[in-house]
Amino acid sequence: MDRLKIATVWLGGCSGCHMSFLDLDEFLVDLADKVDIVFSPVVDVKEYPEGVDVCLIEGAVCNEDNLEMIHKVRKRTKVLVSFGDCAVTANVPAIRNQLGLGNAESVLQRAYIENSQYNPVIPRNDGIVPKLLERVLPVHEAVHVDYFLPGCPPPADRIKALLGQVLAGQTPKLEGKQLKFG
Ligand code: SF4
């Protein structure tokens, strides 16, 4: 079996899911023997590559950059995993959907004008500050997701259970779905 190409992506999340990934400890050494991490916050690659086998997505889809990225990732990836509760349900970033704060503009007003003591101004800079979506989305509302790995963050054992099946060349059977790799 060829070395699998694995990626991890960080959208609207706190990086806690990636910290849990690092909690895999010595299993990371096994992983490094068998897979290539082709894109991740923990490697210095700027462009998401073509032909990725498995990608773990941390975080919700909060702004236009997140939306563009998740569509690119979906096109270039065989198996997409919603990694953690922010990806699965939108979780913490979606609090702004629930609290009667209204649309993106009213959230910006509240954060940068009403709650500001000094220099109240909403940061706007096309191409530098991404525009907020009106509503924060879980990943599966933006693109098709193959597997869901819940938890805030998912415990390392749960991540290992999924990746262990992938490394063993088995078909992950989470959610009763079956997919083949390679
Ligand atoms: S699921 Fe929890 S740990 Fe993961 S990004 Fe969201 S808040 Fe952070």
Side-chain angles (χ1 to χ4, degrees):
M1 188 175 172
D2 291 341
R3 288 172 69 85
L4 284 174
K5 292 181 185 168
I6 291 190
T8 73
V9 167
W10 181 8
L11 301 180
C14 73
S15 89
C17 293
H18 274 85
M19 293 301 110
S20 198
F21 183 81
L22 295 178
D23 276 346
L24 287 168
D25 297 332
E26 67 274 9
F27 183 71
L28 288 171
V29 178
D30 297 342
L31 210 54
D33 278 345
K34 293 174 185 152
V35 309
D36 291 323
I37 306 284
V38 293
F39 186 91
S40 172
V42 299
V43 300
D44 189 23
V45 176
K46 306 295 183 214
E47 177 68 13
Y48 193 89
E50 302 276 356
V52 174
D53 292 301
V54 182
C55 180
L56 305 180
I57 303 282
E58 173 190 315
V61 182
C62 303
N63 61 42
E64 289 183 347
D65 278 8
N66 294 161
L67 196 57
E68 188 183 328
M69 182 67 181
I70 195 64
H71 280 287
K72 182 187 287 183
V73 168
R74 178 66 278 184
K75 255 205 243 164
R76 298 180 178 183
T77 308
K78 290 180 193 157
V79 175
L80 203 66
V81 181
S82 262
F83 177 39
D85 286 350
C86 289
V88 173
T89 68
N91 198 29
V92 178
I95 289 173
R96 78 166 162 97
N97 295 350
Q98 317 289 337
L99 292 182
L101 290 173
N103 59 18
E105 190 58 34
S106 62
V107 171
L108 292 170
Q109 281 287 334
R110 179 78 168 269
Y112 289 100
I113 305 294
E114 294 164 27
N115 287 339
S116 172
Q117 290 179 304
Y118 304 104
N119 192 25
V121 62
I122 295 178
R124 298 188 202 275
N125 202 337
D126 285 350
I128 295 178
V129 180
K131 201 166 166 232
L132 292 183
L133 301 181
E134 289 300 306
R135 194 174 143 268
V136 178
L137 308 173
V139 172
H140 65 274
E141 284 191 24
V143 295
H144 174 73
V145 167
D146 299 297
Y147 294 111
F148 296 88
L149 207 55
C152 182
D157 283 353
R158 197 173 296 161
I159 304 169
K160 188 174 172 184
L162 173 75
L163 292 179
Q165 289 179 71
V166 172
L167 287 181
Q170 295 168 357
T171 305
K173 292 191 172 70
L174 302 176
E175 303 292 314
K177 294 182 182 177
Q178 299 208 6
L179 283 171
K180 291 207 167 84
F181 298 97

